[in-house]
Amino acid sequence: MTTSTINSQKPSDDLGDSKLKLQDIIKTLPKECFELNHRKAWTGAVINVLMVGLGYASIAFSPWYLLPLAWVFAGTALTGFFVIGHDCGHRSFAKSRWVNDLVGHLAFMPLIYPFHSWRIKHNHHHLHTNKLDEDNAWHPIRPEFYETWPKLDKSVFEVLMRKRLWWLSSILHWANLHFDWRQYRKQDQSDVKLSVAVVVTFAAIAFPTLIITTGVWGFIKFWFVPWLVYHFWMSTFTLVHHTDPEIPFLPGSEWNAAIAQLSGSVHCDYPRWVEFLCHDINVHVPHHVSTAIPSYNLRLAHRSLQENWGSYLREERFSLSLMRRITDQCHFYSLGEGYFSFKDYYARK
């Protein structure tokens, strides 16, 4: 792991109680980081639509042996749709709420992702990043909780992690958390029902139309496989952003928002074409410092954090060795001990 040490701030391995406040960090960021630029926002959206269109054209015209490349490109471009909706969910795409809601729903529709359901759950994640038993986006499994699970749930979790099928995790998260409005507060349920209705209506029209015009193989070819690629990136981004053998999760009594957002989330460099299609969502630390920073200003904000808070930052480069380290070691978590693997878990029993 490469950790920036540009300044002499408090070292990043001390993530517990601190007097540092999130506002102290935000004050050091250039004001330009928070400025909404309608031209950049809409240009990014138009380019994303063109890239998705190019992806589907490549699927339509590619010979069978080039289809995997076309699928990867189209699915990655679809992930860009999610990032645009992600900005909308944080109200950093446009100043008007109704524009954010409209664009957010349109961006999420092809992904069959209910916009308001995700927005509400995701905002909870930002309020409780790396807080033990509270962070709902990605949190470690505590062995005492694991032992209370049904056998089926245990088996699914073990297969996902031992067989390195982390890339399916986002699908389980999507299915379990975003369609049941009863999981939400009463004042949010009408928004959740609206978003569920939008994607169900889209699927009810688009899927039969696709099958009628292109057959079942067309449905698999044009929607299902690119959708799986999209979930690969969603699972990977989420896992890498918030999981590392050295990142602690702390109980609320010891948790500090400023430290958690700076050192509990990871900046990871991916191939540049991935970063371009996904609107720099990999530049993740400034997004946790302030969700008001739009995606096109994340790099500017990150450079400022490197200059002013470098010793807190965790920076990685995407690689197979990185994924092996995470999926081999980060299975269970215990307070005072940190992460440990299935092998260690069963050795203690």
Side-chain angles (χ1 to χ4, degrees):
M1 179 179 68
T2 58
T3 304
S4 174
T5 55
I6 295 172
N7 67 7
S8 57
Q9 297 287 345
K10 189 177 180 182
S12 61
D13 58 354
D14 185 359
L15 303 179
D17 190 24
S18 169
K19 294 181 180 180
L20 182 64
K21 298 183 183 301
L22 203 53
Q23 198 61 33
D24 297 331
I25 304 166
I26 293 173
K27 287 178 180 178
T28 67
L29 294 173
K31 292 182 179 179
E32 298 92 319
C33 294
F34 304 95
E35 292 177 359
L36 300 188
N37 186 311
H38 297 299
R39 180 184 59 81
K40 289 182 179 180
W42 286 105
T43 299
V46 170
I47 290 174
N48 205 146
V49 170
L50 293 175
M51 292 299 100
V52 170
L54 179 61
Y56 283 126
S58 66
I59 292 172
F61 295 107
S62 291
W64 64 268
Y65 53 85
L66 291 180
L67 268 179
L69 293 177
W71 282 330
V72 169
F73 182 87
T76 308
L78 284 172
T79 309
F81 274 0
F82 184 90
V83 180
I84 289 173
H86 178 271
D87 273 11
C88 292
H90 288 303
R91 311 309 187 193
S92 60
F93 181 85
K95 293 181 180 179
S96 172
R97 173 168 291 193
W98 75 265
V99 173
N100 283 310
D101 286 350
L102 176 62
V103 174
H105 278 92
L106 291 173
F108 276 27
M109 271 198 315
L111 311 173
I112 316 301
Y113 222 120
F115 173 71
H116 284 307
S117 308
W118 167 83
R119 177 182 61 80
I120 295 164
K121 291 287 187 183
H122 187 70
N123 283 334
H124 183 86
H125 157 63
H126 275 277
L127 288 173
H128 304 284
T129 302
N130 284 41
K131 186 185 293 184
L132 198 62
D133 304 329
E134 280 287 344
D135 190 339
N136 64 339
W138 195 276
H139 58 82
I141 305 302
R142 300 173 72 179
E144 58 268 31
F145 293 158
Y146 176 76
E147 289 163 4
T148 67
W149 289 7
K151 288 185 178 180
L152 177 61
D153 292 355
K154 289 181 179 179
S155 298
V156 169
F157 175 65
E158 188 160 349
V159 167
L160 286 176
M161 298 308 289
R162 284 199 166 192
K163 301 299 183 182
R164 296 200 176 99
L165 298 178
W166 80 88
W167 50 275
L168 295 174
S169 301
S170 174
I171 298 175
L172 297 176
H173 182 81
W174 161 80
N176 287 333
L177 294 180
H178 297 95
F179 290 88
D180 184 0
W181 47 82
R182 294 171 298 180
Q183 299 182 43
Y184 296 80
R185 300 176 304 172
K186 285 189 175 181
Q187 59 263 42
D188 294 325
Q189 288 182 5
S190 59
D191 284 343
V192 173
K193 288 178 181 179
L194 170 64
S195 294
V196 170
V198 167
V199 295
V200 168
T201 301
F202 175 85
I205 296 171
F207 289 176
T209 302
L210 191 57
I211 293 171
I212 290 169
T213 55
T214 66
V216 174
W217 170 238
F219 172 78
I220 295 171
K221 176 180 173 181
F222 286 102
W223 185 80
F224 185 67
V225 179
W227 184 77
L228 288 180
V229 173
Y230 150 71
H231 274 289
F232 168 85
W233 287 121
M234 283 293 294
S235 299
T236 301
F237 289 152
T238 306
L239 179 64
V240 172
H241 283 163
H242 300 293
T243 311
D244 185 278
E246 298 179 21
I247 290 181
F249 279 68
L250 299 173
S253 59
E254 302 175 24
W255 182 83
N256 174 273
I259 303 296
Q261 308 297 13
L262 272 179
S263 297
S265 52
V266 178
H267 170 92
C268 185
D269 291 319
Y270 291 82
R272 192 67 191 101
W273 67 272
V274 175
E275 297 176 353
F276 170 73
L277 290 175
C278 297
H279 305 283
D280 290 331
I281 192 61
N282 60 297
V283 187
H284 202 63
V285 180
H287 171 64
H288 268 269
V289 170
S290 175
T291 58
I293 302 173
S295 56
Y296 45 81
N297 287 337
L298 289 174
R299 290 191 180 275
L300 172 63
H302 187 72
R303 288 193 294 270
S304 174
L305 292 177
Q306 286 179 316
E307 292 170 2
N308 294 293
W309 308 94
S311 61
Y312 286 87
L313 303 184
R314 299 181 185 273
E315 300 182 344
E316 298 279 5
R317 182 170 295 278
F318 180 68
S319 65
L320 291 178
S321 62
L322 171 65
M323 300 313 298
R324 279 198 298 268
R325 185 171 83 238
I326 294 174
T327 55
D328 284 349
Q329 298 181 42
C330 301
H331 299 156
F332 297 100
Y333 189 90
S334 287
L335 275 173
E337 180 181 4
Y339 282 104
F340 58 96
S341 67
F342 276 107
K343 181 180 179 181
D344 295 330
Y345 173 77
Y346 285 115
R348 302 173 188 184
K349 294 184 71 66

